[in-house]
Each structure stands twice: as structure tokens, then as C-alpha cells.
Amino acid sequence: MRVLVIGKGGREHSIVWRLHQSQSVWKIFCAPGNPGINQIAEPVPIAPGDFPALIDFVRANKVDLTIVGPDDPLGAGIVDEFEHAGLKIFGPRRAAAQLETSKSFAKTIMREAGVATADFEVFDDAKKARAYADSKGGRIVVKADGLALGKGVTVCRAIETAHRAIAEAMESKKFGAAGNRVVIEELLTGEELSFFALSDGERAIALGAAQDHKPIFDHDKGPNTGGMGAYTPVPQFGPAIEERIMREVVNPTLAAMKARGIPYRGVLFAGLMIDGDRINVIEFNARFGDPESEPLMMRFEGDLAQTLLAAAEGNLAGTTVRLSPRSSVVVVMSSGGYPGEYRKGLAIHGIEKIEGSAPSDVKVRWAMNRIRVKVFHAGTALKDGTLVTDGGRVLAVTAMAPDLKTAVAAAYEAAEMIEFEGRHFRRDIARRALSRMRATSGSV
Ligand code: AMP
Ligand code: GLY
């Protein structure tokens, strides 16, 4: 089939890369794409928000399936427009994507579905918000209602911080109109997990779980980012927990959506906080995670295009998803200064040492140890034929190996080979899981 992917980040590169290995796919387009994606897909210079132009393109080029990467076009109703035009597209319609785009909608659905989530209230009055914060001793999370590119969330552990966050969101409008209404919830403790399920509106199948690392610096210090690294599988959360997540979170949520007359089709990404026996939902997303997709796509076995088409057609019965039992990890290389201000246009060197065809000792060693390494492009551009930085998250260096420790070592070995001015990456991706594994196995 002929497939169009919408987006330009590391997530979309990993999806395109996996589609490229799908037997059923013989042509891939990507709008707009990036220099890494464009090596295996034909770039389409149409903005993800220009639905009429995308629909014209899909018709003219006989595209069989469109796959939406980011949340913005979903929130703006791209799926509704495509379906209206009689075209096949993978993703939830606008009303269903509210699970991500409106935090108050998501909370309401969770309440209806009996899904465990943090205690919360919705406020449009800052004074009342402050009173609620005080009643929780300042241990709250302030969330602007509406899309703020993951930046509308402030975690507070003290009264003063809570008051400041409320003032910033609701009074000085740090996140624009998204701060007219805020969701304030109690602070959850535990360990975070990103869980992905595919739904065709009627039934869902588990896709897998990954653990993200959101703060910019080691030991989870500094401001939150889109994600600085991830790994899958997550050894401390095995199949028994995945089954519980399907039973206690995914299936009830999808049933509540259906009962409301807005069946959910696409990938449901549950951001969870797990503390002992307690599984709480922090948030839902209506799309694949970034950077979680990069290691998940590496482990995905089978025909991705057929699987996503089945979901889009409401036809997942009988479809199974197989992931490689091997471990995969992604280390994100970011621009100096990100998630604050950063420079663009800085030359990137060294990727050819990993992906070029010239033989090398490193590549031989990786091959002998069944290690696979892939550098996904997140924010890159070509300037006069030179690869340069073009975003906060620049590259997603991903490795897969028979065990997590080997995968982590390979991802770091590869990241060290790539250079650009001001490059930054966390040095502790998956370290917690590794030290726990050492503690339980007793070896050093
Ligand atoms: P969200 O955009 O809702 O996922 O929030 C971004 C990040 O803020 C999450 O990944 C968590 O690290 C943190 N967070 C959000 N809500 C809570 C909560 N209720 N308790 C603790 N941490 C939270
Ligand atoms: N990595 C978290 C997200 O994609 O939202």
C-alpha cells in the first residue's frame, strides 16, 4: 500500500522506518518529513495543519492510509476531515482526541469509567484555586486546560510554589488562553510508566510499555521536556501489570467513550503513576509517545501498516502485536539551552560513523553481539548540504540488544560518536532499572 505519515520528529522517523520494513508497504510519503525521514520516504512540503492540501495530495497520489504523528492535527480534526472525504486515516476524531486536548474532559471520562486518577478540581477563579491548593498543603499539580505543548504543567510541593504557579497560569497567562481554566490535582507519588494500546473503537490490544525520562538533567533535575530518553520493556512492570492496565484503565476508558457516542480509534497512550498496587492515570494522549516510539518501533515485529490499517478500519479482531523480547533504549541528544532558548543551524558530525556503509570495528562488534543501532532524526535540517540542528530535541539515538545493559551501553557509545556545539544528553537513562536489576540478581 501507499502510506502518508504526518509529522517531522523522532517519533515519525521511527514510524516511517518501521513502515519501510512492512511487507505491505511499497511507497511512503511524509509531510513534511525531515532529513532522516527523507532518506526512506518522499517528503511532501505541506504543513500538518493544511487539511485541504493534504486531502488533495492523498487523492492525487492514491494514498491508502494516512498515519498522524503529532497531537495538533488530531485536536484540530484532521481525522474528521479525512473520513468526511472518504479517506482512511489512523487516529482518533477530534471529539475523541479530547482525551488529550482537554484535561477536564479526560478527568470526567475517568470518573465515569471508574479509572483511578488523582483527586482534582477544575477552576476558572484564581482565588478558589488558591484555597484548594492550601487545603492540600501545596502538594498539587497545576495544569492549564488545553494544549500547551506539554509545558502547561507545574508540579508543586509547597504552598508558595503552588500560589506562584496559579498566578502564572491564571493571572499572568503564561500559557495563553489555555490558562483561563486550570485543572488542579493532588500530587501523586510512585514511578511513571507510558503504556500504549491500539483501539479500533470496539476493542483494544496492548502495544507495550516504556519508561520516559522527562526532566532535562540527570537524576530528574531541572525543567520537564518532551522526553530525554526511554526504554522498553520495563523490567519492574511485567505482563501482570500490563494486564491490569488493560483491565482497569484502557478497557473501561474505551467503554466510557463508546457509551458517550464517541468511540476512540487510534493509539491510546496512558501516562501512569504506579505505586505498589496502585495504578493511577496522570494523563491520556491520543498519539504515540516521543521518544517512547523510537524503542517501541525498534521492538515491533510484524507489519505495522497492516496493524494500523486494521485499527483505522475498525477491524482489529484477530490482530495480534508481537514485540521483540530484546531490550531497546533511546538517548535523546538536545540543543544546549533546551527546553529554554537554544541556537539552531549548528553542524552535526559523526552520524556517518554509525550509519555509513564503511566498515568499522564498532559496527563489527555491535553485529557480533546482536546489537542494532539507529539514529532517528528529531530536529535536524539540511543547510547547503550540511546536516544541522533545527530543534530542541535533535537526535534520538536508539539501540536494541539482547539485554538492557548492553542496549544502554551501545546507545551511549553511539551518542558519544555524534557531535554538535552545545550537545546535551542525560547520562542516566534506564539507570534506575539497571541498578534495581543488579540489586535483585546480586551481581555487580
Ligand atoms: P502531564 O502533561 O499531565 O503528563 O504532566 C507532565 C508531568 O508532570 C508528568 O509526566 C508527571 O511527571 C508530572 N505530573 C503530572 N500530574 C501529576 C500528578 N498528579 N502527580 C505527580 N506528578 C504529576
Ligand atoms: N514522551 C511523552 C510524550 O510523548 O508525551
Side-chain angles (χ1 to χ4, degrees):
M1 61 180 118
R2 296 159 69 84
V3 183
L4 167 68
V5 175
I6 300 205
K8 60 171 187 175
R11 163 182 53 210
E12 288 77 19
H13 190 183
S14 70
I15 290 170
V16 165
W17 176 81
R18 180 47 75 197
L19 289 169
H20 190 63
Q21 294 159 39
S22 292
Q23 285 216 325
S24 65
V25 173
W26 52 275
K27 177 81 190 175
I28 309 172
F29 300 99
C30 189
N34 70 32
I37 291 172
N38 302 351
Q39 291 170 9
I40 47 176
E42 185 175 320
V44 178
I46 301 176
D50 190 349
F51 304 160
L54 289 169
I55 287 173
D56 285 346
F57 177 87
V58 161
R59 286 201 172 121
N61 290 277
K62 302 194 166 38
V63 169
D64 301 292
L65 175 68
T66 299
I67 298 165
V68 187
D71 44 78
D72 289 358
L74 295 171
I78 189 172
V79 173
D80 309 60
E81 299 282 323
F82 269 58
E83 288 183 349
H84 194 66
L87 303 171
K88 285 190 185 137
I89 182 162
F90 175 80
R93 292 183 195 154
R94 179 190 179 130
Q98 283 183 97
L99 273 185
E100 169 161 7
T101 58
S102 166
K103 293 201 186 274
S104 49
F105 176 84
K107 284 291 197 182
T108 307
I109 292 288
M110 284 188 254
R111 207 170 252 175
E112 272 176 31
V115 169
T117 184
D119 183 42
F120 73 100
E121 271 183 52
V122 183
F123 296 95
D124 48 22
D125 179 292
K127 219 157 85 205
K128 289 187 183 147
R130 274 190 283 272
Y132 179 84
D134 293 349
S135 77
K136 298 280 176 192
R139 294 178 59 79
I140 56 157
V141 181
V142 179
K143 303 185 173 189
D145 190 35
L147 286 185
L149 295 172
K151 287 180 196 138
V153 176
T154 315
V155 176
C156 311
R157 292 190 171 80
I159 302 236
E160 308 81 71
T161 353
H163 282 206
R164 202 179 320 131
I166 290 166
E168 280 176 358
M170 303 187 76
E171 289 164 352
S172 40
K173 299 278 189 263
K174 189 172 172 189
F175 310 110
N180 288 344
R181 210 151 60 131
V182 298
V183 174
I184 301 190
E185 51 185 62
E186 63 175 337
L187 184 71
L188 295 169
T189 52
E191 205 173 324
E192 285 186 51
L193 185 73
S194 302
F195 185 82
F196 301 87
L198 277 182
S199 170
D200 66 0
E202 286 291 325
R203 56 188 87 65
I205 51 178
L207 199 57
Q211 198 160 46
D212 191 9
H213 296 63
K214 287 197 171 137
I216 183 76
F217 299 125
D218 287 13
H219 309 297
D220 288 342
K221 297 277 190 288
N224 266 353
T225 69
M228 294 300 294
Y231 65 96
T232 172
V234 184
Q236 62 272 33
F237 300 126
I241 294 212
E242 295 204 3
E243 267 167 44
R244 272 191 61 199
I245 297 169
M246 286 302 286
R247 207 167 54 234
E248 296 173 22
V249 175
V250 174
N251 290 331
T253 300
L254 296 173
M257 294 291 285
K258 207 180 136 201
R260 279 202 170 210
I262 30 183
Y264 187 95
R265 270 187 196 168
V267 57
L268 182 65
F269 166 0
L272 307 166
M273 185 74 91
I274 302 182
D275 197 356
D277 273 355
R278 287 185 301 135
I279 302 176
N280 271 286
V281 175
I282 296 175
E283 62 163 357
F284 285 121
N285 294 307
R287 49 173 175 81
F288 286 105
D290 197 352
E292 292 95 326
S293 296
E294 287 90 316
L296 266 180
M297 285 299 145
M298 225 182 216
R299 290 181 60 215
F300 188 93
E301 292 179 342
D303 192 311
L304 181 64
Q306 291 287 13
T307 307
L308 300 187
L309 179 66
E313 289 180 330
N315 195 17
L316 268 182
T319 302
T320 49
V321 164
R322 232 183 29 253
L323 295 183
S324 163
R326 292 197 276 167
S327 288
S328 183
V329 60
V330 57
V331 172
V332 171
M333 302 184 72
S334 60
S335 296
Y338 171 79
E341 277 178 34
Y342 54 85
R343 284 167 64 199
K344 289 182 179 180
L346 304 167
I348 302 170
H349 301 284
I351 297 182
E352 70 288 347
K353 285 187 235 161
I354 298 159
E355 308 218 316
S357 51
S360 73
D361 292 350
V362 172
K363 286 191 217 160
V364 170
R365 179 159 43 77
W366 284 343
M368 283 177 46
N369 290 296
R370 296 181 57 225
I371 296 166
R372 186 162 192 186
V373 176
K374 176 71 200 165
V375 180
F376 294 114
H377 290 229
T380 67
L382 279 177
K383 199 168 80 186
D384 305 325
T386 303
L387 188 71
V388 297
T389 63
D390 195 44
R393 293 190 291 176
V394 177
L395 297 167
V397 182
T398 311
M400 182 164 78
D403 63 88
L404 182 60
K405 190 177 166 199
T406 311
V408 169
Y412 278 113
E413 188 172 27
E416 290 289 2
M417 290 158 72
I418 302 172
E419 282 173 54
F420 51 88
E421 196 186 321
R423 80 163 190 197
H424 166 77
F425 52 89
R426 278 181 62 158
R427 313 279 163 163
D428 65 342
I429 303 303
R431 191 189 286 165
R432 239 184 339 169
L434 288 174
S435 53
R436 207 167 358 210
M437 284 157 76
R438 272 199 298 276
T440 48
S441 75
S443 62
V444 182

